[in-house]
Structures are given as C-alpha cells and as structure tokens.
Amino acid sequence: MLALQKIRPAAGLELVEVPVPEAGTDEVLVRVRAAGICGSDLHVDDWTPSYAFIAPSIPVTIGHEFVGVAQDGPLAGRRVVVRPSVTCGSCAACSAGRHDACERRRGIGMTRDGAFAPWVRVPQRNCVPVPDGLSDAMAALTEPLTISMQALRTAGDVAGLRVLVMGPGTIGQGIAALARRAGAAQVVVSGCDDAARFDALRAMGFEALVDVKTQSLAEGTRPYTGGAPFDLVFEATGVPETITEALALLRRNGTVVVTGIHARPLTLDLTPLVRNQQQLRGSFRPPESDWPLALALMGEMDAVLRPMVSHVLPLARAHEGFALAHGKQASKVLLCPEAGDA
Ligand SMILES: [Zn+2]
Ligand SMILES: [Zn+2]
C-alpha cells in the first residue's frame, strides 16, 4: 500500500510502498476514509526541533486526525475515529484504569504508524464509533476539536467575556466556535497572512478578524474593542512572541491559555504579569471521555464547522496537500486513501 512516511531524520516526507499492517493483540485494522493534515504534520515535515522525539520511530507513517472503518473487533464494519494517544497499559495509572494519567504514551502518526495510508493498525480501545449522520470530513476533525474543547475547559467560564483567539488554524477555529457557543460576549481572531483560514472563519460567521501581517495586534483589534482589554486570550499560533503581545492586551486578572507547540523558548518580562495578576495556563490533551462528546457536538455544530475543511485530495496527491497547507492556501486539507486507490 501507499503510505506517507518520515523515512529519515531530516526535512521531507515520502510516499512509499509498504506492506499492509496486521493487527496485533487487542488491536484492529482500520480502513482509512479521510485524514487531516495538521500543523504538527507540517512540523514533522520541516523537522523542527519540538518533533525530534519521533526520530527513534523512523521510518513511520504520519497522520493522526482520521476517520475510517474498523475491520475487526466489536466495532467491525462501523465507522470510527481513533484517539491518537496510545496508553502503555502497564504503568501504575493504566493498571489502576486511570488511562488519562498514563505517562508512557505513543502517538499514532508520530511514534507509531498513522493514517496517511489506506490501512492503519490501532488499539481497539482507542476507537470511538461515529454517529451515522456525521460526514467523514467532520469526523476527521474530531481530534483537533477535542484539543479546542480542552482549551475551553482550561479557560473556565467564558460567558460574557471579551475573547481574543490568536491563530486562525483548526484549533483556533474550533476555540472560536466553542467560545461563541459558550456565550462569549465578543470573539476576535488574529492571524498572520492567513487569508484562506479567514475565509473559513467568515463562512463560520466570524467578522472580527485581524491580520497582523499589515498592522500590529493592538491596532488591528482596536476597531472591534474600542481599545478595551481582553478578558481572555487563547494562543494557537505556535509563535512564542505572540504570548507577549497577548499579555499587553489582557486585562488585570485576565487569563492567557497557551495551546501551541512552540519550536523555541520565549524570553518574557514577568513583572507586568505579576503586577496585573494575570494567569498563563497551558492546555494540551483532553480526557478520553471528551471524544464521544466531541462527536455529539459536531453533530449539533455541523453547519458552523463545515467551512473548516477547505480541500479534500487523494493520498497520492499528499505532497500537493502539504504544499497548500505550508503555503497557507488552505484552511484544512484532508487526504483520502480510497480516492488515491482509483
Ligand atoms: Zn493534530
Ligand atoms: Zn500507562
């Protein structure tokens, strides 16, 4: 079968022929229907330092945001989405059934083979059945939506708050949609030269969009806020310096929730943060129990979230898909292995 792999610890990804995997104990084979290209896949392609941890697993098939059809096990024949974080099953937390606390994880599409291929082998317990009404394109967004859900949880109650979302990618789009749904008084989204993602956000009903390519964040947000500070800022850019800009626009006692994976450290003047009693919080993986909730939410929010997916390409055109994503010409690109077989 054709698979998009990282085959050496350097920049680049290659479409290579590999054998169809076989399911091991407590695993199932999934026939992949659609898999999204994620920002972290672009980092793996570029080989940025924050993804060097996958080096020992090379060669590895990437792709971790996907929907497919389970071939065996209790969900055989059903469409499933798959939690990409694979717990070890043997540490103290796993043995006690507290899988969310597992410290020895492997990542499907990072440190074990992923879904930019027609078939992927996954643990049975990672599969979550997809409701019939939900399209493959929406279901493929489940993993990023759970990341957005966790960001909202980390922030706390957003009702009535003035919210800035920095970074208009899939995570930022999801955060914006969930914040509005949770009653935020205002949602402003900033990006840098992100026209395709702003188009998606407009289609989702967001008009307060700021392009920091042509103006400062402070200047660009002023027409929407009248210069009032934000109560809450979500960072989904992966650009560390945006944290400094966020804190400058945040009110006293306000909160910044950081979700980006940052390729380098940040030098930050902490004194204003201390004097203004501002909170800086990291947000990462949601509990496993969020997955069915995310699928239900997507059913309710289908019309709002649908514009997030801008391109659907066969797997054989993976390099074109990555070029679109790298070049910021896409909102979200999905690769479909079955289309690639034709
Ligand atoms: Zn991802
Ligand atoms: Zn464990």
Side-chain angles (χ1 to χ4, degrees), residues 86-95 98-99 101-105:
V86 177
T87 53
C88 75
S90 58
C91 70
C94 283
S95 301
R98 293 183 296 110
H99 296 278
C102 176
E103 294 290 343
R104 284 207 308 262
R105 294 164 181 273

Side-chain angles (χ1 to χ4, degrees), residues 13-321:
L13 294 168
E14 292 182 39
L15 274 171
V16 292
E17 277 294 328
V18 298
V20 173
E22 281 174 37
T25 312
D26 298 326
E27 290 184 333
V28 297
L29 265 192
V30 172
R31 178 83 166 147
V32 179
R33 290 176 65 105
I37 297 177
C38 170
S40 47
D41 298 324
L42 303 183
H43 285 292
V44 171
D45 184 5
D46 290 341
W47 203 236
T48 48
S50 35
Y51 288 85
F53 69 90
I54 75 167
S57 307
I58 288 172
V60 66
T61 302
I62 65 163
H64 60 272
E65 303 177 355
F66 62 102
V67 57
V69 177
Q71 299 300 303
D72 15 54
L75 294 172
R78 298 273 315 261
R79 274 192 316 151
V80 294
V81 288
V82 180
R83 297 190 310 267
S85 185
V86 177
T87 53
C88 75
S90 58
C91 70
C94 283
S95 301
R98 293 183 296 110
H99 296 278
D100 286 322
C102 176
E103 294 290 343
R104 284 207 308 262
R105 294 164 181 273
R106 302 194 72 185
I108 295 172
M110 288 283 167
T111 53
R112 55 178 278 165
D113 284 335
F116 291 143
W119 298 94
V120 59
R121 168 182 74 82
V122 304
Q124 187 181 295
R125 68 174 297 277
N126 284 52
C127 296
V128 184
V130 176
D132 285 340
L134 203 64
S135 68
D136 285 340
M138 279 292 98
L141 295 177
T142 307
E143 191 269 348
L145 192 74
T146 66
I147 303 293
S148 302
M149 288 167 69
Q150 179 68 0
L152 265 286
R153 178 182 289 118
T154 303
D157 187 6
V158 303
L161 300 190
R162 188 191 309 276
V163 175
L164 172 64
V165 181
M166 300 190 300
T170 306
I171 303 300
Q173 290 170 0
I175 289 170
L178 293 175
R180 184 176 61 191
R181 186 174 188 276
Q186 185 176 36
V187 179
V188 179
V189 186
S190 66
C192 183
D193 201 16
D194 278 301
R197 287 165 156 183
F198 279 1
D199 286 346
L201 280 158
R202 274 186 212 99
M204 294 167 73
F206 293 95
E207 294 296 334
L209 306 173
V210 177
D211 184 357
V212 299
K213 175 95 172 173
T214 54
Q215 62 202 317
S216 72
L217 187 62
E219 269 172 67
T221 53
R222 196 171 300 122
Y224 302 117
T225 62
F230 289 96
D231 302 302
L232 173 63
V233 180
F234 291 95
E235 178 279 333
T237 62
V239 180
E241 291 72 24
T242 58
I243 307 288
T244 309
E245 295 176 85
L247 287 166
L249 296 179
L250 186 67
R251 73 161 161 80
R252 190 174 278 269
N253 298 309
T255 302
V256 178
V257 175
V258 182
T259 74
I261 300 296
H262 295 259
R264 57 180 190 280
L266 168 68
T267 301
L268 180 63
D269 179 3
L270 287 169
T271 304
L273 175 131
V274 170
R275 290 203 170 123
N276 291 315
Q277 299 209 122
Q278 293 162 326
Q279 310 284 306
L280 193 56
R281 299 182 191 163
S283 181
F284 186 44
R285 186 190 306 108
E288 294 182 349
S289 55
D290 268 10
W291 280 68
L293 302 178
L295 287 161
L297 253 181
M298 284 191 295
E300 288 169 36
M301 299 175 73
D302 187 273
V304 173
L305 301 180
R306 198 171 298 183
M308 290 170 67
V309 175
S310 58
H311 294 75
V312 181
L313 295 175
L315 177 63
R317 288 165 65 190
H319 290 298
E320 190 182 329

